[in-house]
Every structure is written in structure tokens, then in C-alpha cells.
Amino acid sequence: MTWKRAAVVAVVVLLALGGAAFLPWTADHFGYARPGDGGLPSRIHHAGRDYRGGGPCFGADETALTRVGEVGTLFGASHPVFTTRPVPEPPPLTLVVRDSPGCFVGYALQGGP
């Protein structure tokens, strides 16, 4: 009977950990996006630095931007990360992440240059 209880506890713990992966706090802490539009984290990591953002989306001309990386998504396609053209010296002060077609979210460097 105790092995059945241990198995039930193990399954409950695994389900809880799996569900926690979809919480906004977990995504923000580890810097990945949740599935769907609007699932970007408020903090991303690029070129060894942290960036904060996550405000409302805005339109941008993608041809005026240079792709410099991506934000991984839990069970989905990654979101490309852009900076202005020409590419500034590292680290760039601002980054732009495409959330969905025609929707970009800005991120600012934390901690100064």
C-alpha cells in the first residue's frame, strides 16, 4: 500500500512541476516565452546582459532592424530578437522582440552600459 501512495505523490509532484512551467513568474525568471501571443517574459538575457520590458506591442519596420538572437518558447516557435541597424557596439541599449506578426515589444538594458 505504501508504494501506491509514493507513486501517487510522485505523479502529483510531477504534474505540479509541469504546470508551474506555464506560470508567468517561472517564464520571467528563466527568460522563456509562454505559448501564444502575449506570452513574452518581462526579462530576457542577451549577450551576457539582462533586459527588462514587456510593455504593449507596437508596429515596426522589420527591414530597419537586425536580428541578433531569439527568445525560446515553451512548446512553440521561438521569438526573434532585433536591434537597430547598424548594429550598435555590444551591449545594445535596447532590443525589440517580435511577439506576433506586426507586434513588437521593446526591452531596455538593465544595469547601465
Side-chain angles (χ1 to χ4, degrees):
M1 192 66 161
T2 57
W3 69 271
K4 288 183 181 180
R5 284 186 185 166
V8 168
V9 169
V11 167
V12 169
V13 168
L14 288 174
L15 289 174
L17 290 174
F22 290 96
L23 295 175
W25 180 89
T26 308
D28 285 343
H29 180 72
F30 293 106
Y32 64 85
R34 291 171 286 127
D37 295 342
L40 290 175
S42 63
R43 180 188 62 86
I44 62 173
H45 194 76
H46 171 73
R49 301 298 300 269
D50 288 330
Y51 292 81
R52 288 241 178 244
C57 71
F58 59 88
D61 179 14
E62 197 169 317
T63 61
L65 301 172
T66 301
R67 186 174 176 162
V68 293
E70 59 186 30
V71 174
T73 303
L74 188 65
F75 304 121
S78 60
H79 296 267
V81 176
F82 299 93
T83 189
T84 57
R85 195 178 281 170
V87 177
E89 290 296 318
L93 297 178
T94 59
L95 296 174
V96 178
V97 180
R98 184 174 58 212
D99 188 23
S100 61
C103 175
F104 294 83
V105 177
Y107 287 81
L109 178 65
Q110 295 297 293

